[in-house]
Amino acid sequence: MAFKSVLVSALATLSYASPLLHLRSNNDTTFVFTNSNGLNFTQMNTTLPNVTIFATGGTIAGSGSSSTATTGYTAGAVGVLSLIDAVPGMLDVANVAGVQVANVGSEDVTSDILISMSKKINRLVCDDPTMAGAVVTHGTDTLEETAFFLDATINCGKPVIIVGAMRPSTAISADGPFNLLEAVTVASSPKAKNRGAMVVMNDRIASAYYVTKTNANTMDTFKAIEMGYLGEMISNTPFFFYPPVKPTGKVPFDISNVTEIPRVDILFSYEDMHNDTLYNAVDSGAKGIVIAGAGAGGVTTSFNYAIEDVINRFDIPIVQSMRTVSGEVPLSDVSSDTATRIASGYLNPQKSRILLGLLLAKGRNVTQIADVFALGTNA
C-alpha cells in the first residue's frame, strides 16, 4: 500500500514536470488531447495546470447590435469554444477545456442547472487529480446565487471561480475577455486553494459567500461591502490579502443524492404590506419562504402575525432577511416565544433562498434549519 502511494505521487509529479505533449498552433480549434473524462483540450502542455470552463451564457457570451450597445443585447449568443478562442493568452496560463452547461441569460438559470453543474464540477474537477480548478462563466444578474450554491456544494478545496461581464462580447472595451483570463489565472493558482468558490471580475477577487451585485450597470458592481475583497489582480497576477479561511456560518453540502431543490419564494417587504402574498405563496406550493425585510428584517405588525401563523400551522420555515444591499438581521430582532423564527444574519434574500432550499433538499426541519442560520447571526 505504501509503495502504491509513492508510485501515485511520483506519477502525479511527472504529469506536471514532463515535457510538452501537444501545442495548439495558430487559431486551430482542433482538439489535440482528450482526458479520461472525455474533456477535450486544444493544447496539452504538461508544464501548465489544467482548468475546465463551465459555460452557462450571460453577458460574457452576449452579442449586441453595435459596438456601443451595452443594453438590449442578446445574452448567451456565444459558445464556450468561441470564448476560449477570443482569449488566446489564457493558453499561456493553463490547458483549458470547455463544457457548455447552458447558454441562457442568468435569470433563466434553474435549480436543475445548478445541481447538474455542481455534480459535473465535483466529478470532472474535484475527482480528477490532474485538474487544478474550475471556471464558471455566468450572467451577472443572478451570478451571486450560483456562486453561493457552488460554494456550498463543492468542497474539495480546488478553486471554483465564477466570472461574468457587464458588457457584451461585441462592445468596445468589452470586459469579458480580461475577466475570463483573470478567472483562469486564479483557478490555476495554488494560492487559491481552500478558499471556497470565488467571484473574479474587474481585477477583484471576492468570496462567493459574501459578494453581491451592487449596481445594475457599472463594471465595478460586485462587492462585499462590509467584509471586503479576498484579494486583487495586478498584471494578471493574483494577490490575496489573507490566508484561506472559512466564512462564519458556512455549512458544506453533499448533493450527490439530491435530484431537486424544493420551491422557496422571496417576498419583498414594503409599507402597507398585504398578508395574502404570504398565504398565496404557501397555496402555490412554496416549501420555504424568505422575507426581504425593511431594515433588519422588518415587516408590518399584521404581516408579523401572519408569519407566526404560517410557521405554526403549516410547519414552513420562514427566513427574515433584509432588502438593503448590506447589513445583518440578528436573531434578537426576529425571535419569538410562540414560533421558531429564523434570522438570515449577513445573508441577503437571494443567498438565504439558496441556503434554505439546500437545507430543505436535505430533509431538515424548521428547528434544524433555524440552527444552521443561527451559526451566521449575532444574538
Side-chain angles (χ1 to χ4, degrees):
M1 194 70 178
F3 172 75
K4 182 178 179 181
S5 176
V6 171
L7 179 61
V8 169
S9 176
L11 288 173
T13 301
L14 283 172
S15 71
Y16 284 97
S18 57
L20 187 73
L21 289 182
H22 299 287
L23 269 185
R24 165 176 164 149
S25 60
N26 301 322
N27 251 344
D28 185 13
T29 56
T30 303
F31 297 127
V32 298
F33 182 80
T34 302
N35 74 1
S36 59
N37 286 317
L39 292 176
N40 294 311
F41 295 80
T42 57
Q43 76 164 21
M44 181 50 62
N45 180 340
T46 53
T47 65
L48 296 176
N50 302 327
V51 171
T52 300
I53 297 175
F54 297 84
T56 68
T59 300
I60 194 170
S63 178
S65 58
S66 72
S67 61
T68 57
T70 58
T71 62
Y73 52 84
T74 301
V78 178
V80 64
L81 290 181
S82 296
L83 290 177
I84 294 172
D85 286 343
V87 193
M90 77 171 66
L91 298 180
D92 295 327
V93 175
N95 305 308
V96 179
V99 175
Q100 193 76 52
V101 177
N103 210 358
V104 297
S106 63
E107 296 86 352
D108 288 325
V109 172
T110 65
S111 58
D112 288 340
I113 291 174
L114 294 183
I115 291 171
S116 174
M117 180 162 55
S118 176
K119 290 181 177 180
K120 279 185 171 71
I121 296 174
N122 274 301
R123 178 172 63 87
L124 299 176
V125 177
C126 285
D127 294 344
D128 184 346
T130 70
M131 296 298 300
V135 170
V136 175
T137 62
H138 202 284
T140 60
D141 286 351
T142 66
L143 183 148
E144 67 192 84
E145 295 164 66
T146 291
F148 186 87
F149 185 93
L150 297 177
D151 186 55
T153 61
I154 301 171
N155 297 287
C156 62
K158 293 183 180 180
V160 177
I161 310 303
I162 301 87
V163 63
M166 292 301 291
R167 296 174 178 171
S169 61
T170 50
I172 294 175
S173 299
D175 53 326
F178 201 70
N179 283 347
L180 184 57
L181 174 61
E182 291 187 332
V184 170
T185 300
V186 177
S188 305
S189 173
K191 296 178 181 179
K193 292 180 178 179
N194 300 311
R195 295 179 183 272
M198 290 169 278
V199 174
V200 173
M201 285 183 63
N202 200 45
D203 296 335
R204 298 292 190 268
I205 306 169
S207 165
Y209 189 84
Y210 287 125
V211 73
T212 189
K213 186 174 183 178
T214 64
N215 188 288
N217 312 108
T218 61
M219 288 192 293
D220 62 342
T221 177
F222 282 93
K223 300 176 182 178
I225 294 175
E226 299 296 337
M227 304 83 179
Y229 293 108
L230 299 181
E232 66 177 354
M233 302 290 293
I234 300 292
S235 298
N236 201 38
T237 301
F239 180 85
F240 288 98
F241 301 138
Y242 318 103
V245 64
K246 187 179 81 168
T248 301
K250 178 180 174 179
V251 176
F253 289 86
D254 177 2
I255 62 165
S256 56
N257 295 320
V258 171
T259 58
E260 65 177 352
I261 305 295
R263 173 174 169 172
V264 177
D265 287 355
I266 299 176
L267 301 179
F268 197 86
S269 177
Y270 51 90
E271 291 180 352
D272 199 24
M273 190 176 188
H274 296 290
N275 298 353
D276 57 4
T277 60
L278 180 59
Y279 292 102
N280 288 341
V282 175
D283 291 342
S284 297
K287 305 303 180 185
I289 296 169
V290 175
I291 308 297
V299 295
T300 65
T301 300
S302 175
F303 200 91
N304 195 54
Y305 289 135
I307 287 176
E308 301 229 337
D309 181 49
V310 167
I311 295 170
N312 290 322
R313 278 210 293 144
F314 301 103
D315 199 33
I316 288 178
I318 298 179
V319 177
Q320 288 177 250
S321 184
M322 62 281 184
R323 68 186 194 184
T324 55
V325 73
S326 63
E328 184 205 8
V329 178
L331 187 57
S332 57
D333 273 13
V334 302
S335 61
S336 167
D337 294 330
T338 55
T340 303
R341 306 289 287 266
I342 304 172
S344 71
Y346 288 94
L347 297 182
N348 62 24
Q350 50 270 41
K351 293 185 177 183
S352 297
R353 175 185 168 273
I354 295 291
L355 178 55
L356 180 52
L358 284 167
L359 289 164
L360 289 168
K362 299 296 285 186
R364 303 295 187 263
N365 61 34
V366 174
T367 301
Q368 292 169 326
I369 290 170
D371 289 343
V372 170
F373 273 91
L375 297 174
T377 62
N378 282 321

